[in-house]
Amino acid sequence: MTSADLLLHPVRLRVVRAFLGDRALTTSALREELADVPPTTLYRHVAKLVDAGVLAVVAERRVRGAVERTYVLRVSAADIGLDEFAAMSADEHRQAFMAYVAGLLGEFDRYLARDGFDVVRDEVGYGLAGMWLDDAEAAELRRELTRVLQPRLANPPAPGRTRRVLATVVLPGEKVVDSGGEGGSIAG
């Protein structure tokens, strides 16, 4: 099974997202967060992620005669490699993007289902921004975002901290085509 096949299944994608932010979770805690997923289905997908090395067992304890395991995400294993990403077909990218959007919608629905949600207090935001960048400027933007985000991705859970999910999508739009005269026209 390829990394994309493993990670882009809707339930496994939700499991991986639950662990983002350096979280350690038991299957019981995971069941509470993903209450709409039947327990046997959840356990099956957790087992697949463990077998693939995406989740690692960091602790075990006996609970009423059963063994309760605590898992963490191995971030490096929860990634689709650039070569595999580049080799995906248009339909595979479409399916992967739909899984991404479905996961994002699920996160947002769970947020809205909370008692007393407050988008201003909670600093929720979403939007689209268009900007004109050449390839070098786009690469510079990616490097700058990485430089800003990297230290924050390393923050451990702590009192006063709230786990936040940042989702990004970068898509090319129209290009300016030189018409040979002053200004340019937009090719669609």
Side-chain angles (χ1 to χ4, degrees):
M1 177 180 297
T2 67
S3 297
D5 291 335
L6 176 73
L7 296 171
L8 295 176
H9 184 281
V11 173
R12 289 190 292 269
L13 186 62
R14 288 180 61 198
V15 169
V16 168
R17 283 196 172 151
F19 283 92
L20 291 177
D22 211 21
R23 299 176 78 202
L25 299 168
T26 63
T27 49
S28 298
L30 196 54
R31 267 196 356 252
E32 288 176 24
E33 288 196 29
L34 305 178
D36 60 313
V37 178
T40 54
T41 300
L42 183 63
Y43 295 142
R44 186 175 63 250
H45 289 293
V46 166
K48 283 186 179 188
L49 291 168
V50 169
D51 290 344
V54 173
L55 295 179
V57 177
V58 293
E60 293 183 341
R61 69 181 184 122
R62 286 244 174 247
V63 178
R64 294 185 300 273
V67 175
E68 180 181 63
R69 292 178 179 88
T70 301
Y71 302 93
V72 295
L73 178 67
R74 292 185 55 241
V75 178
S76 61
D79 195 14
I80 298 171
L82 190 56
D83 290 342
E84 189 176 345
F85 189 71
M88 290 168 58
S89 70
D91 282 340
E92 289 170 324
H93 279 290
R94 190 172 290 109
Q95 180 182 5
F97 192 76
M98 285 191 303
Y100 168 82
V101 170
L104 192 56
L105 284 169
E107 291 278 346
F108 197 65
D109 281 345
R110 281 185 289 286
Y111 166 73
L112 294 175
R114 294 179 191 170
D115 288 335
F117 77 88
D118 181 332
V119 294
V120 175
R121 178 199 64 222
D122 297 336
E123 297 189 39
V124 171
Y126 47 88
L128 293 172
M131 55 191 105
W132 294 94
L133 305 171
D134 62 27
D135 290 346
E137 291 166 329
E140 181 183 11
L141 176 62
R142 280 191 302 277
R143 284 190 304 273
E144 289 172 355
L145 288 172
T146 299
R147 191 171 47 252
V148 168
L149 293 174
Q150 202 64 41
R152 288 162 179 84
L153 293 172
N155 285 350
R161 282 193 172 147
T162 300
R163 180 174 166 264
R164 299 179 192 272
V165 175
L166 174 67
T168 60
V169 176
V170 178
L171 298 171
E174 305 86 27
K175 289 188 175 192
V176 173
V177 178
D178 188 357
S179 64
E182 289 190 31
S185 63
I186 304 223

